Amino acid sequence: MAELVGRSAELARLDALLAEPGRPELPRVVDVVGEPGIGKSRLLDEVCARARRRGLTVLRGRATQYEQHVPFQLFSDAFADTGPGTPAAGPALAGARSLLRGGGHAPGDPSTAGAAARFGLHRRIAELLTDLGGPGLVLALDDLHWADPASRELVDHLVRHPAGGKVLLVVARRERQTPTALTAALTRAADSGTVLHLALEPFSERESAEALGPGVPEDRARQLHAASEGNPLYLFALVHAHRTGTSPRGLTPGTHPADPYPAGPDRALDPAGLPGGLTALLLEELATLSEPQLRVVEAAAALGDHATPDLLSSVTGLSPRDLEGETAALAVLDVLRAGPGGGWVLRHPLVRALVHERTAPALRAGLHRRAARELARRGAPATERARHVEASLTGWDPRAAEVLVEAAARFAPTAPATAAHLLGVVLTHMPDTPDRFARRGELVLARARALGVGGHLRESRDLLHTLIETSGKDHPELRTRAVAQCAVMERYLGHSPEAGALLRRELSRDPGPSPAQAVSLRLALGMSALLTASYPQARADVAHALALARADDDPAGEAAALALAALGEAYEGETGTAARFADDAASLTDALTDPGLTDPCDALVWLAWAETLLERYGDAERHLARGLGIARRTGQLHVLPHLLTCRAFIHVTTCRLPSALEAAEEAESIARVAGSDGLLGFALAVKTLVLLLARPLGDGGALATGEEAVTAAGGGKGWWSSLAWCMLGHATYASGDPYGAQQAIVRAGGGPELPSLQPSIRPGQLDTLAAAALAAGDVAEAARRVAQATDEAERLGLDGQRAAALRAEAGLAEHHGETDRAVRLLDAAAGAYVTCGQALWEAYTLLRAAPLVRRAGQGARAAAMWHRAHRIAVGGGARLLVDLAELVRPQVLAEAPQVPPQLAELTVRELEVARLVAEGLGNQDIAARLHLSRRTVETHLSSIYRKASLPSRAALAGLMTRVGLGTGS
């Protein structure tokens, strides 16, 4: 490979990443951007070559312009890479490629069904990359701007959740052609330091001359640089023209040398977006090809990764022997190059684009038609044939349509955007006649569902609106199904009032929907009201749904109505009523089979959230686990974020921060691709709380996430928006801004008296408002908030909320110097938290109480409280509380030794690691105790040895023991 010119600065930064891939403080992703021909692919060539020389595993994939509806094509190409040092024959890569291509599973197969296949696949691929990492892995993905939607989702996941171990992801793309969502994800990650952004600039005149070499005179090199504007691809095409004697006048845009393609009205257009002169130069070399060679080139351009010798022979009509001769000649001319799996590819994607666009449409369709037939003859699945079937359609073909419908059904779980596209192709060609209306309606519903799941909510809603109006009175069942589906889209778009109006209109029709459909519609009304904090207005609808379900002997509908009633009443703070509904819903739900609960699976969402608000965490977790299992098996994407946020909320409260963060991040991932701003705001709100407690004191991640949450949730007054503002308020208070915290929580509540704030959590929010008022010096306001919290908690009768009110009152007592009273109140609060199982808030309360208890002269008791709180915080991964415990340690444990100067530079985390080394724990045990990776523990130890000037682990243990810091906490 020729030496790379003009990219020394970029290569220096990349070499640093290749030297230590996966190092925590270094970027895990490299984003190379630039215009066509600027040298992105050449830079990736060099990176891959350098990585292989270092002994790293390299996987290289390239997206293609004409396979943008082939799911995971970019990653399938990477996992088929057979470059030197790549374990291409390994079962892991073979299995991954099979998984990405659907593995041949039929629609509805539980092993791949639903959102589990989609988002679970993302996690499995990340785990695979981690496993393959070993000494180091580079995954290089070229032409990302052309990637199919499923590949883009997977890249987005790997950017936000980088693979563990020594894995470096390098992507190359054209910035202007990259979809906005992917650009935003890369930009956010670049801001956080996860992504290194490299923008390639044109060659300077000196670099152009260096690239051209000594054979080009200086004045000619200057002219060529000016003509190419520093674009390397254009520059080398001009050099080729110079060496073959082409006149410079023939290189200007708009003029074209003779080529084998007919002139036409689109002659001036360039499908690759390149200067006209470059287009002419690339096509000039094709003008001298023989007719059979041109036939092979056009077939290779159409077939893409299906351009194997046997398929090329079938579609071109050339015998295998003749084909071998033509491909060999084309390889000598560097028009064709060997591709993965023994196939052939055109030298550059831009050459393929130009050939494909200039192939006569009828000829191109014929090539694809023959390819589809040959693949069908070989027994290839519909998913593999679909792109050729689509490209061959010139009119209505029922058999071709069935192939596309079958492929769409198979793609729907993991690649809904492709499913929606294929169904759109079928609907475009299907005759719009009365005898086909029912079939069209079914396909429209399926396409709308795929669009909604793929994040195209408005397009889905518009499609359903049209179906609702065209169904009229002749197809009432189809219309009602469209209404129910449309109401979900409206809710996710933040249009709950519109959803309610649509549902009520359908319920008022004569004749009305069937009893089962009426139950579903009225429950949808109740959910819309709940999201807009107006549940009392829908109580009658939920009660009507319950009565209808019972009269119709519909236990699943009855369970759903009871669960929604429980959630609605729990949200409103009607604890007794909610508890009765929850008891009945749980009793009925537990008696139903999973198939009986599949439709609607929402019953388990509503029941789990109701039980969470009622502080019945064990029951809630049981129903969450069942709901997640059903939702993943059946592909009910819309319920997953609600189940996952509920799990995250419970795990925070019960002090299991690592699993809480895992659930919150999965909910966020699904919400982002779902395209619902409100749902994303809700998921980010819960993640804000998790990050606040899981990150170290002073970390800004929670505040940034809270700000994104309120931006996503918008200016509404519903549940999702108010929760986002509340969590932002907590993060703001923790950052040291009591005034901002007050403003955020008051904004959440719709005014100073918090009239629109969720009643079931008001005492907890009032606790924060009281603490913020004290911090701001407004004692009167703090006293008012304490009184309000006490009244609200008394009405609710929930231990956790009562404990929050007691803690608020204790803060006021402490401010007034009433230490004994503050201790009694905090004791009562901690006891209430034990009763309801809120371990995290118990630990926080104990840390608040311990210094006061010590001040009251009860040293042993204060120490016991501190140790219990510290044990809960460390065991649950609550880093904020661990740091808080270290801050109050000197006030509680007076006998604690001071850190000697030799260890003074160590961070809190490094001291924790050092103490555990002194206790005799190995690196793996320390990692498990502190919820870290083994690599992170090793990094901490290296830092400790350097800061403390210690030669070994034994020396560290000895020092910790001598100074009294190695005896544990």
Side-chain angles (χ1 to χ4, degrees), residues 778-906:
D778 192 343
V779 179
E781 173 65 8
R784 190 173 76 84
R785 293 303 189 186
V786 167
Q788 190 178 357
T790 302
D791 290 344
E792 294 277 359
E794 183 66 26
R795 186 178 78 84
L796 288 173
L798 294 169
D799 286 324
Q801 296 300 316
R802 183 169 63 86
L806 288 168
R807 196 172 59 224
E809 191 176 356
L812 189 61
E814 181 184 1
H815 178 81
H816 288 308
E818 301 170 351
T819 301
D820 290 344
R821 181 165 177 267
V823 168
R824 288 195 302 274
L825 290 166
L826 289 171
D827 264 345
Y833 283 132
V834 171
T835 301
C836 67
Q838 295 186 8
L840 183 133
W841 300 116
E842 178 202 350
Y844 174 63
T845 304
L846 290 172
L847 291 174
R848 287 273 304 272
L852 299 180
V853 172
R854 175 78 188 202
R855 199 183 308 164
Q858 303 176 53
R861 182 165 174 248
M865 296 172 80
W866 186 93
H867 282 298
R868 175 170 172 76
H870 186 261
R871 185 166 59 252
I872 292 171
V874 171
R879 181 61 191 274
L880 180 75
L881 297 191
V882 172
D883 289 354
L884 180 60
E886 292 301 325
L887 284 177
V888 304
R889 176 198 285 262
Q891 305 170 44
V892 179
L893 307 177
E895 69 280 5
Q898 295 298 311
V899 176
Q902 194 174 3
L903 301 176
E905 291 185 25
L906 301 192

Side-chain angles (χ1 to χ4, degrees), residues 69 306 372 375 381-392 403-404 407-408 411 418 422:
H69 294 292
H306 281 151
L375 289 170
T383 51
E384 193 172 348
R385 292 179 278 144
R387 63 185 170 103
H388 295 299
V389 171
E390 176 193 348
S392 69
V403 172
L404 298 183
F411 283 141
T418 297
L422 294 177

Side-chain angles (χ1 to χ4, degrees), residues 608-691:
W609 266 111
E611 289 167 332
T612 299
L613 295 179
L614 292 170
E615 300 176 357
R616 300 177 174 184
Y617 302 123
D619 290 336
E621 286 219 73
R622 182 164 54 82
H623 292 125
L624 279 175
R626 191 177 181 193
L628 284 166
I630 294 173
R632 293 186 194 282
R633 287 196 301 273
T634 58
Q636 297 191 53
L637 179 73
H638 69 287
V639 303
L640 277 174
H642 303 285
L643 291 163
L644 290 164
T645 50
C646 187
R647 170 174 280 182
F649 189 84
I650 292 173
H651 285 208
V652 167
T653 302
T654 54
C655 204
R656 289 174 282 171
L657 274 299
S659 55
L661 184 58
E662 181 182 350
E665 289 187 333
E666 186 180 357
E668 177 195 357
S669 296
I670 299 172
R672 285 192 186 280
V673 300
S676 169
D677 291 338
L679 184 60
L680 176 60
F682 183 61
L684 289 173
V686 174
K687 184 180 177 182
T688 298
L689 180 62
V690 178
L691 290 176

